[in-house]
């Protein structure tokens, strides 16, 4: 007689491993239990984690059930195992998927609804691994340019507040200071330190938060310059320029002997460290010496 899941301790393990006979598989597919286990197995394959000996795990659980309730019907043992797996998957369903860029790396992420996130160097973006379309919220650490599909309840969480999308194109930089630029449509920004107030930004409007000071600024560029491999500064402190250089080049600065609060106006390209150093430091009258990955600055 054909063995099945309610009288064969190895049945589920052999099914997941694809080792059932044609007769066993056909009979199993006709049961309601098959539908539940098919969902569990399919979703579990999407998860990253340690290798699990499914057959052994099922055997161990069943052995414990036998010891505690020797008269329990085997079918209910199987249902109990399924319930335990569903609970475990509930934890995984609430887990996050994270995209991370190293120094100098960029990538484009296409989300379920067709929205695009251009993630800048040394940045990360995380979102719910499952059922994200039911709550379209992402978490950003670093910098990213968002192109969001219209009529979309899309939110971005940052260290300074939440950006709610009312339009389509915007850039967020969340590093030692916070910067939000709206390139198209409009966005709503709610600051964490003052949740009762919010600001609406339309095309060409920008918010900068530095040391909890909020500044409203206008700009004219049509898209983020970092997408073109350029960083540009307009009378910004030198320490922000040095920080920006470390996002694109694997270097550190020894800046103890210079005034890092001096203002700099200019730009540098992301593809050549030597040219970037010359473009930013020489105009400021700053000397530099390279020792391995450290740039030692002096005036």
């Amino acid at each position: 007689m054909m063995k099945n899941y309610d009288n064969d301790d190895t049945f589920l393990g052999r099914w997941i491993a694809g080792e059932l006979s044609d007769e066993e598989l056909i009979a199993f597919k006709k049961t309601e239990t098959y539908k539940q286990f098919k969902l569990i197995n399919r979703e579990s394959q999407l998860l990253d984690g340690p290798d699990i000996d499914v057959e052994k795990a099922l055997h161990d659980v069943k052995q414990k059930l036998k010891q505690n309730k020797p008269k329990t019907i085997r079918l209910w043992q199987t249902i109990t195992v399924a319930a335990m797996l569903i609970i475990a998957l509930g934890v995984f369903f609430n887990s996050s998927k994270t995209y991370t860029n190293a120094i100098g790396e960029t990538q484009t992420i296409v989300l379920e609804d067709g929205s695009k996130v251009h993630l800048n160097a040394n940045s990360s973006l995380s979102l719910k691994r499952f059922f994200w379309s039911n709550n379209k919220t992402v978490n950003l650490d670093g910098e990213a340019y968002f192109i969001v599909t219209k009529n979309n309840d899309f939110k971005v969480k940052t260290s300074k507040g939440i950006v709610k999308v009312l339009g389509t194109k915007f850039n967020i930089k969340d590093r030692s200071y916070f910067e939000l630029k709206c390139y198209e449509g409009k966005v709503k920004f709610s600051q964490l330190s003052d949740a009762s107030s919010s600001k609406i930004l339309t095309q060409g409007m920008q918010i900068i938060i530095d040391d909890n000071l909020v500044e409203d600024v206008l700009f004219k560029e049509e898209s983020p310059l970092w997408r073109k491999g350029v960083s540009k500064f307009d009378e910004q402190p030198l320490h922000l320029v040095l920080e920006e250089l470390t996002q694109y080049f694997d270097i550190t600065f020894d800046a103890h002997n210079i005034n890092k609060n001096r203002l700099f106006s200019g730009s540098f390209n992301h593809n050549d460290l030597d040219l970037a150093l010359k473009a930013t430091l020489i105009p400021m009258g700053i000397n530099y010496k390279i020792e391995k990955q450290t740039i030692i600055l002096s005036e």
Side-chain angles (χ1 to χ4, degrees), residues 273-289:
L273 174 59
D274 185 53
L275 291 178
L277 293 174
K278 289 178 179 178
T280 53
L281 300 178
I282 290 178
M284 301 286 286
I286 296 176
N287 301 313
Y288 65 92
K289 180 173 63 175

Side-chain angles (χ1 to χ4, degrees), residues 30-98:
K30 295 179 180 180
T31 67
E32 288 297 319
T33 305
Y34 169 77
K35 296 178 182 179
Q36 299 175 20
F37 278 99
K38 182 180 179 182
L39 174 62
I40 293 171
N41 186 50
R42 184 179 70 242
E43 298 299 344
S44 66
Q45 300 306 311
L46 300 175
L47 306 174
D48 296 326
D51 294 335
I52 299 174
D53 188 334
V54 178
E55 186 174 318
K56 182 179 183 300
L58 292 172
H59 176 73
D60 290 345
V61 171
K62 289 182 178 183
Q63 285 299 112
K64 290 181 181 180
L65 288 171
K66 288 178 182 179
Q67 294 171 5
N68 295 333
K69 295 183 179 180
K71 295 183 180 181
T72 301
I73 299 174
R74 286 180 177 274
L75 176 58
W76 286 105
Q77 294 178 12
T78 303
I79 293 175
T80 301
V81 174
M84 293 175 66
L85 289 174
I86 289 171
I87 292 172
L89 281 175
V91 176
F92 284 120
F93 284 148
N94 288 314
S95 65
S96 297
K97 180 175 180 62
T98 301

Side-chain angles (χ1 to χ4, degrees), residues 146 182 255:
F146 296 81
C182 181

Side-chain angles (χ1 to χ4, degrees), residues 153-156 162-167 186-190:
D153 187 19
F154 189 103
K155 297 178 182 178
V156 183
I162 298 176
V163 179
K164 183 176 181 180
V165 180
L166 306 175
K186 57 183 177 179
V187 296
K188 178 180 179 181
F189 176 67
S190 301

Side-chain angles (χ1 to χ4, degrees), residues 46 103 136 138 169 180-181 212 248 250 282 296 299:
L46 300 175
I103 293 172
K136 296 180 179 179
V138 300
K169 299 180 180 180
L180 169 62
K181 288 184 175 181
N212 293 322
Y248 302 102
D250 187 13
I282 290 178
I296 302 173
E299 292 180 313

Side-chain angles (χ1 to χ4, degrees), residues 90-247:
V91 176
F92 284 120
F93 284 148
N94 288 314
S95 65
S96 297
K97 180 175 180 62
T98 301
Y99 301 88
T100 302
N101 287 342
I103 293 172
E105 293 182 346
T106 62
Q107 68 172 308
T108 297
I109 303 157
V110 181
L111 302 176
E112 290 180 16
D113 63 355
S115 299
K116 292 182 179 179
V117 182
H118 300 286
L119 192 63
N120 200 0
N122 203 21
S123 303
S124 65
L125 183 86
S126 63
L127 63 155
K128 284 190 65 173
R129 186 183 294 271
F130 302 104
F131 310 121
W132 176 79
S133 59
N134 295 331
N135 181 12
K136 296 180 179 179
T137 300
V138 300
N139 295 274
L140 175 66
D141 181 11
E143 183 171 15
Y145 178 51
F146 296 81
I147 302 177
V148 179
T149 55
K150 294 183 178 180
N151 302 318
N152 201 330
D153 187 19
F154 189 103
K155 297 178 182 178
V156 183
K157 288 186 177 181
T158 72
S159 67
K160 295 297 184 182
I162 298 176
V163 179
K164 183 176 181 180
V165 180
L166 306 175
T168 53
K169 299 180 180 180
F170 58 99
N171 191 84
I172 300 174
K173 177 186 284 189
D174 189 9
R175 299 198 190 276
S176 63
Y177 75 102
F178 179 86
E179 178 185 273
L180 169 62
K181 288 184 175 181
C182 181
Y183 287 91
E184 183 179 294
K186 57 183 177 179
V187 296
K188 178 180 179 181
F189 176 67
S190 301
Q191 194 172 350
L192 289 180
S193 61
D194 187 5
S196 61
S197 66
S198 60
K199 292 179 179 289
I200 302 292
L201 281 70
T202 56
Q203 183 175 352
M205 296 178 65
Q206 173 183 359
I207 286 180
I208 297 175
I209 303 177
D210 191 7
D211 291 333
N212 293 322
L213 297 177
V214 181
E215 182 181 6
D216 296 315
V217 183
L218 298 178
F219 68 94
K220 295 181 180 180
E221 64 192 50
E222 297 181 355
S223 63
L225 289 176
W226 71 260
R227 294 272 295 136
K228 301 177 182 178
V230 177
S231 290
K232 185 178 180 180
F233 305 86
D234 184 14
E235 293 190 349
Q236 290 182 275
L238 180 59
H239 67 84
L240 294 181
V241 179
L242 301 181
E243 177 186 84
E244 188 80 353
L245 283 163
T246 63
Q247 309 305 322

